[in-house]
Amino acid sequence: MTLFSSATCPMSHCARFVLHEKAITADIEFYDPENPPEDLLELNPTGTSPTLIERELVLYDSRIIMEYLDERFPHPPLHQMDPVSRATARMVIKRIDQDWYQLLEEISSSGEKKSARAKKLLRESLLAATPVFAARPYFMSDEFSLIDCVIAPLLWRLPSVGIDVTTQNEIINNYAQRIFKRAAFKRSLSDAEKEMVELK
């Protein structure tokens, strides 16, 4: 099994986090998405990151990769077993992608003026979710789950894009630090990601 991954892409980081959380043996090949290697392009002509290769299987959507890894290697489970809880978790992840990751993408790819608006919106939206972060040990769950694997890479990148939710909000910061201290999260970081934040 090989995971082709950008060293800085948050979607790739989510997939790497799941790999390490489940202690899956896989080769992680870091590459520049602007200049994908030929062997990757032969399997995935879009060259997008992340791309998972396992024998004849080629997956190149972060969320599909995460779900596949969780089903292919069922222990420890990162999705709850019942269909209602799994569907609810998928909807939460979809909302996180639409509401938070789209703003992060806008910040990363926009000029200063447009980026300032997106930063304000992302910060306000995260702070508005404080009661959810406070309600349970993990995001909407008593157990660590795929949702936390989705949120952590986003929170990790906030300081590097100039967003601070910690000074006003110990609840979000405490949640973030709890996830960042997981051994799997530390192992999931590329060298470039380690440089984004000083791990406390």
Side-chain angles (χ1 to χ4, degrees):
M1 182 183 287
T2 302
L3 182 74
F4 287 90
S5 173
S6 157
T8 56
C9 163
M11 293 296 182
S12 293
H13 191 183
C14 294
R16 279 183 268 125
F17 191 7
V18 172
L19 267 179
H20 288 289
E21 193 64 44
K22 297 179 85 71
I24 298 166
T25 302
D27 294 322
I28 297 175
E29 300 277 346
F30 288 108
Y31 75 101
D32 176 5
E34 300 295 316
N35 188 23
E38 285 300 319
D39 54 341
L40 172 60
L41 288 173
E42 285 174 19
L43 297 162
N44 172 12
T46 67
T48 51
S49 172
T51 297
L52 182 77
I53 314 291
E54 187 181 26
R55 298 187 189 92
E56 303 303 310
L57 179 69
V58 181
L59 301 175
Y60 43 90
D61 176 284
S62 175
R63 304 308 180 228
I64 293 172
I65 291 170
M66 293 167 73
E67 292 246 357
Y68 171 74
L69 293 172
D70 193 45
E71 291 174 10
R72 170 88 167 73
F73 301 92
H75 301 289
L78 297 179
H79 251 330
Q80 292 183 22
M81 293 295 105
D82 67 287
V84 172
S85 297
R86 281 203 307 272
T88 301
R90 288 183 182 116
M91 288 304 300
V92 170
I93 290 170
K94 187 171 178 62
R95 281 291 304 276
I96 291 166
D97 285 344
Q98 289 175 341
D99 295 353
W100 294 347
Y101 270 97
Q102 279 191 7
L103 288 169
L104 183 66
E105 173 61 27
E106 194 176 317
I107 292 162
S108 305
S109 61
S110 305
E112 193 61 38
K113 191 173 181 181
K114 195 172 179 186
S115 148
R117 176 191 155 277
K119 283 181 190 177
K120 182 173 182 289
L121 286 173
L122 180 52
R123 183 174 182 278
E124 287 173 355
S125 182
L126 285 164
L127 290 172
T130 298
V132 185
F133 283 102
R136 297 166 88 172
Y138 297 100
F139 200 84
M140 296 183 70
S141 176
D142 293 326
E143 305 290 334
F144 181 83
S145 76
L146 281 182
I147 300 172
D148 302 296
C149 292
V150 168
I151 293 176
L154 180 131
L155 295 180
W156 182 259
R157 283 158 173 75
L158 294 183
S160 69
V161 296
I163 297 176
D164 180 14
V165 292
T166 61
T167 50
Q168 285 188 357
N169 199 312
E170 277 305 303
I171 288 168
I172 295 178
N173 189 42
N174 290 343
Y175 165 85
Q177 293 306 321
R178 194 159 59 250
I179 305 296
F180 297 164
K181 285 176 180 163
R182 292 178 79 87
F185 184 82
K186 292 177 183 179
R187 286 196 300 271
S188 74
L189 294 165
S190 67
D191 289 341
E193 286 161 343
K194 287 175 187 170
E195 291 171 8
M196 290 176 182
V197 179
E198 197 172 316
L199 192 59
K200 292 180 182 176

